[in-house]
Amino acid sequence: MNIIFLGPPGAGKGTQAQLLTRELGIPQISTGDMLRKAMREGTKTGLEAKRYVESGGLVPDDVVIAIVKERLAEDDCKGGYMLDGFPRTVYQADELSKFAQIDAAVDLELADEVIIERLSGRRVCPNCNATYHTSQLGGSTVCKNCGAGLIQRKDDMEETIRNRLKVYKEQTAPLIEYYRNKGILREINCVGTVDEIFALVKRALEA
Ligand code: AP5
């Protein structure tokens, strides 16, 4: 099954995609993670992406489309995959449809105030990409999976979060209608615990 996770920043796309990866055994393809890795490694893509990612804007379509196209051609994607954070514009969605067949687009929705609270408290593992909220960590600053020191993303500062929300509404939210018109949209309100939302995601994908 080839799945897209849509939804505003902080709605829980990465959290749910990580759980679904374990459940279905198919890879999570997060363009955000791929761009941050490229930035850490100082590659040409990383250098090009840095100013957009850090300000909360979108990286140019052609850069992101190229990395996704290359990734989907790898062997582990042959049995299905989850796209987390791609597509983010109608142009990206149109291009994706030229090289991939998507079965379901899961739209995770959440109010802005909750998003700001969740993202301000997010801590991530730079080694294995595990995601936490400070409320789950009991003061710990290390990853439960691999022991690496957790970090706060630069774009999780409140002003940048507000810009990401604005960019989402202007450029990405039209994809909800786009995938509704294709008959593959599954909408989920993400108020609830991680496990409660995961149960809704699984039910939506079974439908
Ligand atoms: P990206 O990394 O994709 O960021 P995003 O879409 O803004 O999404 P986030 O990772 O911030 O949130 P999420 O929905 O995954 O939430 P999470 O599960 O972590 O992109 C970053 C940047 O890269 C973009 O701004 C752009 O510059 C660039 N980029 C990426 N893709 C691009 C593209 N296609 N085109 C152009 N540019 C692109 O959860 C958030 C927090 O909430 C965590 O702390 C988590 O523990 C907590 N949480 C999750 N679920 C719950 C729950 N149910 N209850 C309580 N807490 C919860």
Side-chain angles (χ1 to χ4, degrees):
M1 197 172 193
N2 301 334
I3 303 163
I4 288 172
F5 275 100
L6 290 175
K13 302 181 295 295
T15 301
Q16 295 300 327
Q18 282 175 8
L19 291 174
L20 207 55
T21 280
R22 277 177 231 150
E23 179 95 3
L24 300 180
I26 59 176
Q28 168 199 10
I29 297 169
S30 159
T31 41
D33 287 346
M34 290 159 86
L35 291 168
R36 283 184 290 277
K37 181 168 183 278
M39 284 162 55
R40 281 198 299 278
E41 292 172 352
T43 65
K44 185 168 170 277
T45 299
L47 293 173
E48 199 170 350
K50 190 172 177 357
R51 69 191 163 105
Y52 300 102
V53 173
E54 291 188 350
S55 67
L58 293 185
V59 174
D61 284 337
D62 291 340
V63 173
V64 189
I65 291 163
I67 61 173
V68 171
K69 194 170 183 182
E70 196 179 316
R71 179 68 184 87
L72 294 190
E74 289 178 26
D75 279 351
D76 65 333
C77 293
K78 293 204 163 46
Y81 49 80
M82 267 168 285
L83 287 168
D84 163 11
F86 183 93
R88 254 181 161 97
T89 62
V90 170
Y91 180 75
Q92 289 180 15
D94 281 339
E95 289 301 303
L96 176 67
S97 70
K98 294 177 187 168
F99 59 86
Q101 169 77 42
I102 301 301
D103 303 301
V106 180
D107 176 38
L108 304 179
E109 283 302 324
L110 196 63
D112 288 3
E113 314 79 70
V114 188
I115 286 174
I116 289 167
E117 194 279 322
R118 283 191 187 175
L119 288 183
S120 317
R122 175 165 59 183
R123 298 295 179 269
V124 292
C125 175
N127 182 43
C128 72
N129 291 325
T131 299
Y132 304 92
H133 189 271
T134 46
S135 59
Q136 305 168 315
L137 290 167
S140 168
T141 56
V142 296
C143 178
K144 291 177 189 170
N145 293 341
C146 70
L150 299 174
I151 57 165
Q152 182 171 25
R153 276 170 45 177
K154 278 195 179 154
D155 60 346
D156 278 348
M157 302 299 158
E158 184 166 337
E159 195 185 320
T160 316
I161 297 170
R162 289 196 187 278
N163 189 40
R164 287 160 64 198
L165 286 169
K166 182 169 172 285
V167 169
Y168 169 77
K169 284 170 191 158
E170 289 170 358
Q171 299 194 54
T172 307
L175 292 178
I176 297 171
E177 205 51 36
Y178 182 98
Y179 286 111
R180 184 179 287 121
N181 290 338
K182 290 192 183 293
I184 59 168
L185 187 72
R186 314 274 191 273
E187 292 175 276
I188 296 177
N189 181 331
C190 288
V191 177
T193 65
V194 169
D195 289 344
E196 286 166 348
I197 308 304
F198 188 49
L200 295 177
V201 169
K202 284 195 289 185
R203 202 177 311 151
L205 288 172
E206 282 159 12

PDB file of all heavy atoms in Angstrom, residues 6 8 11 14 38 73 78 97 119 124 163-164 170 174 179 183 193:
ATOM      1  N   LEU A   6      -0.941  13.669   5.103  1.00  0.00           N
ATOM      2  CA  LEU A   6      -1.114  15.116   4.946  1.00  0.00           C
ATOM      3  C   LEU A   6      -1.393  15.723   6.320  1.00  0.00           C
ATOM      4  O   LEU A   6      -1.689  15.006   7.267  1.00  0.00           O
ATOM      5  CB  LEU A   6      -2.345  15.408   4.094  1.00  0.00           C
ATOM      6  CG  LEU A   6      -2.336  15.093   2.614  1.00  0.00           C
ATOM      7  CD1 LEU A   6      -3.730  15.369   2.055  1.00  0.00           C
ATOM      8  CD2 LEU A   6      -1.312  15.946   1.899  1.00  0.00           C
ATOM      9  N   PRO A   8      -1.175  19.701   8.869  1.00  0.00           N
ATOM     10  CA  PRO A   8      -0.294  20.818   9.238  1.00  0.00           C
ATOM     11  C   PRO A   8       0.925  20.359  10.021  1.00  0.00           C
ATOM     12  O   PRO A   8       0.946  19.248  10.552  1.00  0.00           O
ATOM     13  CB  PRO A   8      -1.210  21.696  10.112  1.00  0.00           C
ATOM     14  CG  PRO A   8      -2.296  20.801  10.574  1.00  0.00           C
ATOM     15  CD  PRO A   8      -2.477  19.754   9.529  1.00  0.00           C
ATOM     16  N   ALA A  11       0.899  18.066  13.479  1.00  0.00           N
ATOM     17  CA  ALA A  11      -0.359  17.328  13.668  1.00  0.00           C
ATOM     18  C   ALA A  11      -0.094  15.893  14.115  1.00  0.00           C
ATOM     19  O   ALA A  11      -0.983  15.237  14.655  1.00  0.00           O
ATOM     20  CB  ALA A  11      -1.167  17.334  12.378  1.00  0.00           C
ATOM     21  N   GLY A  14       4.654  12.461  11.564  1.00  0.00           N
ATOM     22  CA  GLY A  14       5.858  11.652  11.807  1.00  0.00           C
ATOM     23  C   GLY A  14       5.615  10.591  12.869  1.00  0.00           C
ATOM     24  O   GLY A  14       6.004   9.429  12.702  1.00  0.00           O
ATOM     25  N   ALA A  38      20.523  15.982   4.880  1.00  0.00           N
ATOM     26  CA  ALA A  38      21.364  16.620   3.852  1.00  0.00           C
ATOM     27  C   ALA A  38      21.998  17.904   4.397  1.00  0.00           C
ATOM     28  O   ALA A  38      23.157  18.219   4.102  1.00  0.00           O
ATOM     29  CB  ALA A  38      20.517  16.908   2.611  1.00  0.00           C
ATOM     30  N   ALA A  73      12.573   4.837  -5.951  1.00  0.00           N
ATOM     31  CA  ALA A  73      13.106   3.837  -6.883  1.00  0.00           C
ATOM     32  C   ALA A  73      13.912   2.767  -6.144  1.00  0.00           C
ATOM     33  O   ALA A  73      14.314   1.762  -6.735  1.00  0.00           O
ATOM     34  CB  ALA A  73      13.984   4.529  -7.923  1.00  0.00           C
ATOM     35  N   LYS A  78       9.402  -1.238  -2.934  1.00  0.00           N
ATOM     36  CA  LYS A  78       8.631  -2.051  -3.900  1.00  0.00           C
ATOM     37  C   LYS A  78       7.357  -2.628  -3.279  1.00  0.00           C
ATOM     38  O   LYS A  78       6.365  -2.843  -3.961  1.00  0.00           O
ATOM     39  CB  LYS A  78       9.520  -3.142  -4.489  1.00  0.00           C
ATOM     40  CG  LYS A  78      10.627  -2.549  -5.357  1.00  0.00           C
ATOM     41  CD  LYS A  78      11.162  -3.527  -6.386  1.00  0.00           C
ATOM     42  CE  LYS A  78      11.957  -2.862  -7.500  1.00  0.00           C
ATOM     43  NZ  LYS A  78      12.935  -1.861  -7.112  1.00  0.00           N
ATOM     44  N   SER A  97       2.115  11.991  -9.232  1.00  0.00           N
ATOM     45  CA  SER A  97       1.192  11.079  -9.926  1.00  0.00           C
ATOM     46  C   SER A  97       1.797  10.532 -11.225  1.00  0.00           C
ATOM     47  O   SER A  97       1.316   9.546 -11.764  1.00  0.00           O
ATOM     48  CB  SER A  97      -0.138  11.773 -10.205  1.00  0.00           C
ATOM     49  OG  SER A  97       0.051  12.768 -11.186  1.00  0.00           O
ATOM     50  N   LEU A 119       4.555  21.500  19.247  1.00  0.00           N
ATOM     51  CA  LEU A 119       5.854  21.700  18.587  1.00  0.00           C
ATOM     52  C   LEU A 119       6.858  22.408  19.488  1.00  0.00           C
ATOM     53  O   LEU A 119       8.056  22.125  19.420  1.00  0.00           O
ATOM     54  CB  LEU A 119       5.680  22.489  17.278  1.00  0.00           C
ATOM     55  CG  LEU A 119       5.024  21.703  16.143  1.00  0.00           C
ATOM     56  CD1 LEU A 119       4.961  22.549  14.883  1.00  0.00           C
ATOM     57  CD2 LEU A 119       5.760  20.405  15.854  1.00  0.00           C
ATOM     58  N   VAL A 124      13.732  15.863  19.357  1.00  0.00           N
ATOM     59  CA  VAL A 124      13.956  14.793  18.377  1.00  0.00           C
ATOM     60  C   VAL A 124      15.347  14.212  18.528  1.00  0.00           C
ATOM     61  O   VAL A 124      16.274  14.879  18.998  1.00  0.00           O
ATOM     62  CB  VAL A 124      13.760  15.301  16.917  1.00  0.00           C
ATOM     63  CG1 VAL A 124      12.310  15.641  16.653  1.00  0.00           C
ATOM     64  CG2 VAL A 124      14.646  16.486  16.619  1.00  0.00           C
ATOM     65  N   ASN A 163       4.899  30.822  10.986  1.00  0.00           N
ATOM     66  CA  ASN A 163       5.131  30.950   9.539  1.00  0.00           C
ATOM     67  C   ASN A 163       4.840  29.628   8.826  1.00  0.00           C
ATOM     68  O   ASN A 163       4.242  29.595   7.750  1.00  0.00           O
ATOM     69  CB  ASN A 163       6.564  31.410   9.260  1.00  0.00           C
ATOM     70  CG  ASN A 163       6.745  31.758   7.795  1.00  0.00           C
ATOM     71  OD1 ASN A 163       5.856  32.351   7.172  1.00  0.00           O
ATOM     72  ND2 ASN A 163       7.871  31.363   7.220  1.00  0.00           N
ATOM     73  N   ARG A 164       5.247  28.506   9.456  1.00  0.00           N
ATOM     74  CA  ARG A 164       4.980  27.191   8.840  1.00  0.00           C
ATOM     75  C   ARG A 164       3.467  26.963   8.706  1.00  0.00           C
ATOM     76  O   ARG A 164       3.006  26.400   7.708  1.00  0.00           O
ATOM     77  CB  ARG A 164       5.621  26.084   9.684  1.00  0.00           C
ATOM     78  CG  ARG A 164       7.130  26.065   9.544  1.00  0.00           C
ATOM     79  CD  ARG A 164       7.808  25.335  10.688  1.00  0.00           C
ATOM     80  NE  ARG A 164       7.484  23.926  10.753  1.00  0.00           N
ATOM     81  CZ  ARG A 164       7.676  23.178  11.827  1.00  0.00           C
ATOM     82  NH1 ARG A 164       8.199  23.702  12.917  1.00  0.00           N
ATOM     83  NH2 ARG A 164       7.367  21.898  11.803  1.00  0.00           N
ATOM     84  N   GLU A 170      -1.668  28.225   2.952  1.00  0.00           N
ATOM     85  CA  GLU A 170      -1.664  28.785   1.596  1.00  0.00           C
ATOM     86  C   GLU A 170      -1.306  27.737   0.533  1.00  0.00           C
ATOM     87  O   GLU A 170      -1.889  27.706  -0.533  1.00  0.00           O
ATOM     88  CB  GLU A 170      -0.638  29.928   1.521  1.00  0.00           C
ATOM     89  CG  GLU A 170      -1.094  31.161   2.297  1.00  0.00           C
ATOM     90  CD  GLU A 170       0.015  32.210   2.432  1.00  0.00           C
ATOM     91  OE1 GLU A 170       1.151  31.981   1.955  1.00  0.00           O
ATOM     92  OE2 GLU A 170      -0.253  33.254   3.043  1.00  0.00           O
ATOM     93  N   PRO A 174      -4.673  23.071   0.043  1.00  0.00           N
ATOM     94  CA  PRO A 174      -5.452  22.712  -1.166  1.00  0.00           C
ATOM     95  C   PRO A 174      -5.346  21.233  -1.559  1.00  0.00           C
ATOM     96  O   PRO A 174      -6.199  20.726  -2.296  1.00  0.00           O
ATOM     97  CB  PRO A 174      -4.835  23.619  -2.250  1.00  0.00           C
ATOM     98  CG  PRO A 174      -4.304  24.802  -1.490  1.00  0.00           C
ATOM     99  CD  PRO A 174      -3.806  24.246  -0.189  1.00  0.00           C
ATOM    100  N   TYR A 179      -7.048  15.460  -3.061  1.00  0.00           N
ATOM    101  CA  TYR A 179      -7.157  14.008  -2.857  1.00  0.00           C
ATOM    102  C   TYR A 179      -8.603  13.585  -2.577  1.00  0.00           C
ATOM    103  O   TYR A 179      -8.972  12.441  -2.851  1.00  0.00           O
ATOM    104  CB  TYR A 179      -6.187  13.536  -1.771  1.00  0.00           C
ATOM    105  CG  TYR A 179      -4.763  13.528  -2.309  1.00  0.00           C
ATOM    106  CD1 TYR A 179      -3.809  14.429  -1.859  1.00  0.00           C
ATOM    107  CD2 TYR A 179      -4.400  12.637  -3.321  1.00  0.00           C
ATOM    108  CE1 TYR A 179      -2.519  14.437  -2.391  1.00  0.00           C
ATOM    109  CE2 TYR A 179      -3.123  12.635  -3.861  1.00  0.00           C
ATOM    110  CZ  TYR A 179      -2.183  13.535  -3.395  1.00  0.00           C
ATOM    111  OH  TYR A 179      -0.918  13.545  -3.936  1.00  0.00           O
ATOM    112  N   GLY A 183     -10.940  10.618  -4.525  1.00  0.00           N
ATOM    113  CA  GLY A 183     -11.651   9.557  -3.797  1.00  0.00           C
ATOM    114  C   GLY A 183     -10.782   8.753  -2.853  1.00  0.00           C
ATOM    115  O   GLY A 183     -11.167   7.654  -2.433  1.00  0.00           O
ATOM    116  N   THR A 193      -4.847  10.734  22.474  1.00  0.00           N
ATOM    117  CA  THR A 193      -3.491  10.235  22.718  1.00  0.00           C
ATOM    118  C   THR A 193      -2.922   9.657  21.417  1.00  0.00           C
ATOM    119  O   THR A 193      -3.670   9.386  20.463  1.00  0.00           O
ATOM    120  CB  THR A 193      -3.501   9.118  23.772  1.00  0.00           C
ATOM    121  OG1 THR A 193      -4.238   8.007  23.217  1.00  0.00           O
ATOM    122  CG2 THR A 193      -4.147   9.560  25.070  1.00  0.00           C
TER     123      THR A 193
END
